[in-house]
Amino acid sequence: MANLKISEGNKGVYKQNLIKSNKVIVSSSKYGYGLFCISPIKRGEIIEECVVMTDRIQHDSPEMQNYVFRGNEVYRDIYDKVLPAGLVTLVNHSFNNNNIDIEQNLNFERLLYVFAIRDIMPSEEILWNYGYQ
């Protein structure tokens, strides 16, 4: 299960107009499917904001295991499992070639930010270091 960084902020629940970049597409990858850049993305640019569901998701089944993240349930102030509802679930893992990071936003605790940690060029796959040793 991947670990998310937690951003500081005030507790909140709702946000309208989530960011969805038109600079990425879903396409075939050596891993099955993946997310790919189709227009240059600058370092720090948000690629996606997505809603997460956090209500004690059971991830015992093999189907769920690859899509559940470790997040923070703000109201109970404990770490819990989150299931993103967005393109981020198609981001594949890389130890060395990762080009994004993901943070949970505590202003809107049920949102994740997916953002570039370096410039990303067209045809590059969007990759994230899941945090495994």
Side-chain angles (χ1 to χ4, degrees):
M1 187 172 0
N3 291 315
L4 300 174
K5 293 181 180 176
I6 307 299
S7 298
E8 296 299 324
N10 297 322
K11 294 178 183 177
V13 180
Y14 302 102
K15 182 175 190 282
Q16 296 179 351
N17 303 321
L18 297 178
I19 296 169
K20 299 286 185 194
S21 177
N22 60 357
K23 297 181 178 183
V24 295
I25 61 167
V26 176
S27 188
S28 294
S29 166
K30 65 181 179 181
Y31 306 107
Y33 286 101
L35 200 58
F36 288 83
C37 177
I38 58 171
S39 184
I41 299 171
K42 296 285 187 194
R43 179 177 183 243
E45 187 174 337
I46 295 175
I47 297 168
E48 179 180 36
E49 288 179 304
C50 62
V51 175
V52 293
M53 297 166 277
T54 63
D55 296 329
R56 305 281 189 255
I57 294 166
Q58 296 297 319
H59 69 287
D60 299 338
S61 67
E63 300 85 35
M64 292 297 290
Q65 201 167 20
N66 293 324
Y67 300 100
V68 176
F69 294 58
R70 183 177 305 282
N72 187 315
E73 179 64 63
V74 176
Y75 291 125
R76 296 182 191 96
D77 207 20
I78 60 169
Y79 282 90
D80 203 350
K81 294 166 283 298
V82 298
L83 178 64
L87 294 174
V88 69
T89 58
L90 294 171
V91 171
N92 289 309
H93 169 71
S94 174
F95 280 116
N96 302 317
N97 297 320
N98 53 312
N99 48 23
I100 64 156
D101 205 351
I102 302 173
E103 290 187 1
Q104 189 172 0
N105 177 344
L106 294 187
N107 286 315
F108 303 99
E109 76 276 359
R110 295 194 186 259
L111 286 183
L112 297 181
Y113 286 123
V114 179
F115 60 94
I117 59 172
R118 63 171 175 78
D119 291 350
I120 306 172
M121 295 297 112
S123 78
E124 243 186 288
E125 185 169 5
I126 306 300
L127 298 168
W128 181 44
N129 184 340
Y130 291 173
Y132 302 137
Q133 298 298 325

